[in-house]
């Protein structure tokens, strides 16, 4: 240990001597990072999904390769006017919009209502209508780029009309919803950064009492974000990176960047208060607080690294982004910050000037002595509080939220609301059932026996009260018998010529795969839709004899999320085991103890469960609640919170260990360590709560849940756990805390 400290001290002195070289290097890297970070949002993935092959992904592959027309890539245009659209001027406006869209090179077909008897694409008052725009483009990223182009075409066309003000045009659908989510996410990040800067500045100014001390953590925090975004932008060129990584990199970069620099600057000022010259104070700070930052960064990195073993683009991207931003924050804290401290020196100010001053430690020391005199009561009170907060976790329901899933106040979201009122939202995201006959025997989906089997499957699916309609080869014409369908499909070439759109969408090019679109009722939430998909898969698994030799797969948006949820929850035990094992190993090696890592894992698990309990209580079961928690949220909360919780654990334990090594007195070391770090932890927690709390108001539900969860976890961690439970356990365990690194009996 002494050798390691000597090496750190020598390296720190090199940093101090070469301070201007270090600053010059970081200025160059910062300029490069700022350039590369610009526009990173446009290179990120808004769709997400699984990186593994799933049943839903196999359906998508079949639709893309075996069918002439994949109507999954369809834009929905909603037009509202002052009069019914089935005649007069509104009809002319609709025809004009459809004609202009139809001439676009990426549009295959534009479908509007077919006549006075067609109520499917018209509202009851017939003053709102829907046009379905089928695209020629199949690739998701290409379709995403067409959203803005199509909106521009619609607005330009509408602007040429003399009565344009009387009409409203909205573009919605799967891809427009994803495009709006990307836009909203980027805007939320920029808005949160603007709001956080003055709040963080005020908290830091109150903590340090000087502008120099307050500015340094902000430099590290925002610098870490810029560096991370530059790296993330480069990685997005070789692997899919979710748009969520923007929010997470900003949250974590600001949080840990300010956290680590706060610890280092505070320790530097303590060394200056003891009379050390600036250069020596910097070297001592890097030797002590720098080691703590490195250990803490490793712990946080473990949580994010565990996410690399998950199958989702979203969670794996957050794992990569978290790793990058934490590494950037640690490296900048251990190199750039010491160089800045060496240059600024006396301008950072005296410790007594701010809330972290020596005179302000007295209340924390009194608190530490109170806990030291009553450790059992403190343990019981803190433990009962966390258990009570964890109780709502028993009610958690994993699934797609029933409400608030799409970003509020967006064009596509408003369009989806209109579709729900019209009774057509189920057509945007149907469940897709593919029935594939084997090549042996030359059977096709249009054979009489196959049509009979399709009718049985269609009737079984339609029997579910949550299903509004089923579109298939045996449902294209109402009141048509199986015999009539058999005659209709006996000449497939003629049938395709009569109705090419329906046959291209519902029958594969080789005639062996039939498609059934299950349209859900508009009163069916996304959460209930997942149950419909599971029921459809059970029907497929227990198929009747006519379908015994076929393959049936269920896909679509909701089915994709069912697969993602099952895959993610299946990996959860591996993720938990990795985090527990790596944390225990690292803390055991750093503190040369068996009890400390076990205690840390237990208390951090309580912190995670209490956080999830609060999320269930306020979001899932609260007024106008979501009804369910998306599967990725508990996984993300566990990995990120577990890592971040180790920040304060390492801050506190490192100071206690330092005091114990000097005195050999566990009681005195615990009191001294708590009183020395409580102010830093409180200030750091206030900053982290401000950072994470800002994202709790994001318009994307996943980010809102994650922001709230992280803010709640930090609050619990900085109060109940670090100020009550950790010191209580440390007092009760005595010298057993340091076994086997220190003998329990005998001289120190």
């Amino acid at each position: 240990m002494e050798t390691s400290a000597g090496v750190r001290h020598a390296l720190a002195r090199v940093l101090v001597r070469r301070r201007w070289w270090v600053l010059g290097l970081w200025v160059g890297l910062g300029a490069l990072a700022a350039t590369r970070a610009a526009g990173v949002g446009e290179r990120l993935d808004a769709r997400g999904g699984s990186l593994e092959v799933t049943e839903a992904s196999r359906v998508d592959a079949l639709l893309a390769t075996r069918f002439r027309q994949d109507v999954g890539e369809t834009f929905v245009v909603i037009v509202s006017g002052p009069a019914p659209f089935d005649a007069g001027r509104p009809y002319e406006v609709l025809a004009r919009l459809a004609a202009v869209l139809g001439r676009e090179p990426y549009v295959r077909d534009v479908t509007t209502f077919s006549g006075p008897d067609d109520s499917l694409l018209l509202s009851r008052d017939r003053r709102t209508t829907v046009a379905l725009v089928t695209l020629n483009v199949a690739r998701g990223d290409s379709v995403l780029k067409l959203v803005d182009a199509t909106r521009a075409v619609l607005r330009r066309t509408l602007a040429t009309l003399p009565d344009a003000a009387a009409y409203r045009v909205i573009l919605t659908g799967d891809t427009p919803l994803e495009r709006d989510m990307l836009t909203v996410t980027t805007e939320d990040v920029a808005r949160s950064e603007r709001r956080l800067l003055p709040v963080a500045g005020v908290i830091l100014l109150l903590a340090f009492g000087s502008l120099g001390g307050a500015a340094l953590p902000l430099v590290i925090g925002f610098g870490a974000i810029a560096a991370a975004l530059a790296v993330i932008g480069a990685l997005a060129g070789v692997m899919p990176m979710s748009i969520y990584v923007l929010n997470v990199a900003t949250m974590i970069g600001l949080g840990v960047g300010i956290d680590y620099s706060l610890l280092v600057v505070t320790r530097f000022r303590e060394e200056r208060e003891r009379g050390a010259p600036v250069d020596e104070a910097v070297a001592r700070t890097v030797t002590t607080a720098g080691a703590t930052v490195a250990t803490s960064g490793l712990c946080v990195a473990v949580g994010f690294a565990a996410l690399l073993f998950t199958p989702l683009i979203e969670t794996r991207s957050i794992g990569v982004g978290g790793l990058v931003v934490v590494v950037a924050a640690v490296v900048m804290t251990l190199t750039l910050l010491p160089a800045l401290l060496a240059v600024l020196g006396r301008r950072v100010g005296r410790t007594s000037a701010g809330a972290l001053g020596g005179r302000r430690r007295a209340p924390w020391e009194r608190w530490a002595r109170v806990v030291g005199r009553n450790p059992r009561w403190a343990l019981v009170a803190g433990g009962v509080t966390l258990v009570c907060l964890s109780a709502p976790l028993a009610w958690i329901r994993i699934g797609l939220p029933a409400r608030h899933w799409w970003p509020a106040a967006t064009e596509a979201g408003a369009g989806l609301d209109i579709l729900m009122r019209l009774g057509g939202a189920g057509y945007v995201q149907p469940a897709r059932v593919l029935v594939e006959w084997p090549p042996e025997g030359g059977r096709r989906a249009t054979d009489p026996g196959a049509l009979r089997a399709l009718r049985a499957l269609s009737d079984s699916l339609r029997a579910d009260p949550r299903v509004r309609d089923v579109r298939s080869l045996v449902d294209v014409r109402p009141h048509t018998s199986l015999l009539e369908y058999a005659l209709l499909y006996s000449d497939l070439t003629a049938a395709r010529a009569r109705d090419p759109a329906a046959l291209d969408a519902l029958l594969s090019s080789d005639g062996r795969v039939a498609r059934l679109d299950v349209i859900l009722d508009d009163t069916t939430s996304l959460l209930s839709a997942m149950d419909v998909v599971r029921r459809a898969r059970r029907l497929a698994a227990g198929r009747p004899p006519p379908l015994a030799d076929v393959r049936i797969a269920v896909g679509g948006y909701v089915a994709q999320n069912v697969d993602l949820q099952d895959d993610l929850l299946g990996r959860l035990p591996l993720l938990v085991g990795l985090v527990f094992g790596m944390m225990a190993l690292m803390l055991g090696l750093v503190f040369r103890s068996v009890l400390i890592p076990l205690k840390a894992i237990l208390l951090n698990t309580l912190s995670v469960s209490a956080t999830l309990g609060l999320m269930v209580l306020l979001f899932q079961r609260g007024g106008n609640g979501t009804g369910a928690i998306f599967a990725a949220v508990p996984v993300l909360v566990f990995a990120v919170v577990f890592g971040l919780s180790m920040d304060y654990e390492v801050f506190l334990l490192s100071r206690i260990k330092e005091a114990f090594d000097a005195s050999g007195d566990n009681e005195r070391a615990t009191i001294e360590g708590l009183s020395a770090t409580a102010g830093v932890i409180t200030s750091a927690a206030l900053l982290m709560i401000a950072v994470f709390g800002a994202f709790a108001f994001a318009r994307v539900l996943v980010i809102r849940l994650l922001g709230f969860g992280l803010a709640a976890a930090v609050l619990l961690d900085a109060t109940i756990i670090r100020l009550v439970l950790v010191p209580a356990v440390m007092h009760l365990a005595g010298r057993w805390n340091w076994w086997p690194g220190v003998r329990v009996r005998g001289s120190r």
Side-chain angles (χ1 to χ4, degrees):
M1 293 291 286
E2 291 180 1
T3 303
S4 176
V7 171
R8 292 197 302 270
H9 192 80
L11 291 174
R13 295 194 68 84
V14 172
L15 278 175
V16 172
R17 287 197 302 271
R18 305 293 184 185
R19 67 193 73 173
W20 292 110
W21 286 99
V22 174
L23 289 178
L25 176 63
W26 275 112
V27 168
L29 290 175
L32 179 63
T35 303
R36 295 298 179 92
V40 67
E42 295 299 322
R43 300 194 291 274
L44 300 179
D45 183 276
R47 292 198 161 197
S50 178
L51 292 163
E52 309 291 335
V53 176
T54 64
E55 181 173 339
S57 69
R58 288 195 295 270
V59 168
D60 288 342
L62 283 172
L63 288 171
T65 57
R66 302 281 291 276
F67 284 72
R68 295 185 184 179
Q69 175 183 332
D70 178 13
V71 296
E73 293 299 353
T74 300
F75 288 170
V76 180
V77 180
I78 302 172
V79 188
S80 301
F85 274 92
D86 47 6
R89 176 61 178 166
Y91 183 83
E92 294 175 3
V93 171
L94 178 63
R96 170 72 175 159
L97 290 170
V100 172
L101 281 175
R103 289 196 293 269
E104 291 297 313
Y106 54 84
V107 174
R108 174 184 295 160
D109 182 51
V110 179
T111 304
T112 60
F113 68 94
S114 58
D117 297 329
D118 185 359
S119 61
L120 178 60
L121 301 179
L122 278 172
S123 62
R124 288 185 179 180
D125 63 2
R126 310 184 84 78
R127 296 188 179 192
T128 300
T129 185
V130 175
L132 302 178
V133 182
T134 305
L135 306 179
N136 274 321
V137 184
R139 287 179 54 214
D141 56 346
S142 300
V143 177
L144 199 66
K145 295 173 183 175
L146 295 177
V147 174
D148 291 340
T150 305
R151 284 173 173 165
V153 169
L154 290 169
R155 286 164 187 157
R156 276 199 312 270
T157 305
L158 195 62
T160 61
L161 305 177
D163 52 349
Y167 295 88
R168 183 189 183 195
V169 179
I170 291 176
L171 184 71
T172 188
D174 274 356
T175 305
L177 283 165
E178 291 160 1
R179 174 67 210 182
D180 286 353
M181 181 178 288
L182 189 153
T183 302
V184 161
T185 301
T186 307
E187 292 174 352
D188 283 350
V189 169
R191 186 173 63 248
S192 298
E193 287 180 345
R194 289 194 301 270
R195 291 176 177 175
L196 283 170
L197 185 58
V199 173
V202 169
I203 295 174
L204 287 168
L205 188 59
L206 292 174
F208 285 114
S210 72
L211 287 173
L216 292 178
L218 293 176
V219 170
I220 300 301
F222 283 99
I225 293 172
L229 292 182
V231 175
I232 288 166
L235 291 175
V238 296
M239 61 183 293
M241 295 291 289
S242 169
I243 187 65
Y244 294 146
V245 79
L246 270 182
N247 302 86
V248 173
T250 304
M251 278 194 291
I252 302 302
L254 274 178
V256 300
I258 292 175
D259 230 13
Y260 296 157
S261 52
L262 189 64
L263 177 70
V264 169
V265 174
T266 303
R267 189 58 182 259
F268 168 76
R269 298 176 71 177
E270 288 181 18
E271 297 295 341
R272 290 282 294 139
E273 190 76 11
R274 295 188 183 112
V278 171
D279 289 5
E280 182 60 25
V282 173
R284 291 180 188 175
T285 298
V286 174
T287 304
T288 53
T292 301
V293 167
T295 303
S296 177
L298 278 174
C299 291
V300 178
V302 165
F304 283 110
L307 293 174
L308 301 181
F309 294 91
T310 57
L312 272 68
I313 291 175
E314 293 93 327
T315 51
R316 197 172 293 188
S317 298
I318 289 173
V320 172
L323 274 173
V324 170
V325 79
V326 168
V327 169
V330 170
V331 172
M332 293 181 74
T333 303
L334 297 182
T335 57
L336 175 61
L337 186 55
L340 288 170
L341 289 173
V343 170
L344 294 174
R346 296 176 180 83
R347 297 186 185 91
V348 176
R350 290 287 185 181
T351 309
S352 57
L356 301 178
R359 291 193 300 271
R360 302 298 179 93
R361 286 190 186 176
W364 295 118
E365 186 172 349
R366 287 195 294 272
W367 171 256
R369 294 187 183 280
V370 168
V371 175
R373 288 194 297 269
N374 306 279
R376 289 180 177 82
W377 284 108
L379 185 63
V380 170
V384 168
T385 301
L386 289 182
V387 169
C388 290
L389 291 175
S390 303
L393 190 55
W395 304 325
I396 191 170
R397 185 172 183 186
I398 303 297
L400 284 172
R403 287 172 290 278
H404 318 305
W405 183 232
W406 297 109
T410 61
E411 178 177 337
L416 199 60
D417 289 339
I418 294 173
L419 279 177
M420 292 181 70
R421 292 196 297 271
L422 294 178
Y427 290 90
V428 177
Q429 294 172 335
R432 292 165 182 161
V433 182
L434 293 189
V435 183
E436 181 180 10
W437 275 263
E440 297 81 12
R443 295 178 60 194
R444 296 192 301 180
T446 51
D447 293 342
L451 293 174
R452 190 179 307 111
L454 286 176
R455 172 62 63 84
L457 181 58
S458 174
D459 290 345
S460 298
L461 293 169
R462 200 188 302 271
D464 192 317
R466 296 164 294 190
V467 173
R468 174 179 178 174
D469 191 18
V470 177
R471 289 164 39 183
S472 72
L473 289 172
V474 292
D475 297 290
V476 291
R477 294 183 178 181
H479 314 298
T480 301
S481 68
L482 286 176
L483 178 59
E484 291 172 305
Y485 277 123
L487 292 173
L488 175 66
Y489 299 134
S490 60
D491 186 347
L492 262 183
T493 303
R496 284 191 188 274
R498 283 192 297 269
D499 195 353
L503 266 294
D504 287 348
L506 300 175
L507 182 66
S508 65
S509 302
D510 59 7
R512 291 195 299 106
V513 185
R515 167 177 173 169
L516 297 88
D517 277 357
V518 182
I519 314 300
L520 301 177
D521 193 91
D522 287 310
T523 59
T524 303
S525 68
L526 288 172
L527 181 61
S528 299
M530 297 178 81
D531 295 331
V532 175
V533 168
R534 293 188 179 99
R535 179 179 178 272
R537 287 177 171 173
R538 287 195 298 271
L539 285 173
R543 49 188 176 268
L547 294 171
D549 58 344
V550 303
R551 290 196 300 178
I552 302 177
V554 182
Y557 174 79
V558 176
Q560 288 171 359
N561 281 277
V562 171
D563 293 338
L564 295 180
Q565 177 174 305
D566 293 344
D567 284 354
L568 190 57
L569 295 181
R571 304 279 182 98
L572 187 57
L574 172 64
L575 186 145
V576 171
L578 283 172
V579 171
F580 280 2
M582 291 302 296
M583 291 290 187
L585 179 63
M586 284 194 305
L587 292 178
L589 291 174
V590 169
F591 294 104
R592 293 185 296 170
S593 167
V594 171
L595 184 60
I596 281 179
L598 294 178
K599 169 191 65 64
I601 288 172
L602 175 61
L603 294 183
N604 283 10
T605 302
L606 278 175
S607 174
V608 171
S609 62
T611 299
L612 290 173
L614 283 172
M615 293 174 69
V616 169
L617 189 64
L618 297 178
F619 285 90
Q620 178 183 313
R621 297 178 64 88
N624 197 27
T626 60
I629 302 293
F630 184 48
V633 172
V635 174
L636 289 171
V637 167
F638 169 78
V640 179
V641 167
F642 212 93
L644 286 177
S645 295
M646 287 297 176
D647 255 5
Y648 302 143
E649 180 84 14
V650 173
F651 288 5
L652 176 57
L653 290 176
S654 295
R655 204 59 183 262
I656 294 175
K657 183 68 164 61
E658 187 179 328
F660 179 79
D661 288 342
S663 67
D665 186 334
N666 182 76
E667 303 295 313
R668 177 180 166 187
T670 302
I671 292 172
E672 184 177 330
L674 179 58
S675 59
T677 58
V680 179
I681 289 176
T682 301
S683 298
L686 282 174
L687 284 161
M688 273 208 175
I689 290 169
V691 170
F692 298 146
F695 287 90
F697 297 95
R699 287 172 287 176
V700 177
L701 181 60
V702 171
I703 300 302
R704 191 157 69 243
L705 287 167
L706 191 57
F708 170 82
L710 294 180
V714 169
L715 177 62
L716 294 173
D717 199 64
T719 53
I720 297 174
I721 292 180
R722 303 304 157 216
L723 297 181
V724 180
L725 290 178
V726 170
V729 173
M730 296 294 290
H731 280 295
L732 290 171
R735 292 173 68 89
W736 281 105
N737 287 307
W738 315 109
W739 181 86
V742 173
R743 289 184 299 170
V744 176
R745 287 185 171 83
S747 66
R748 70 181 186 192

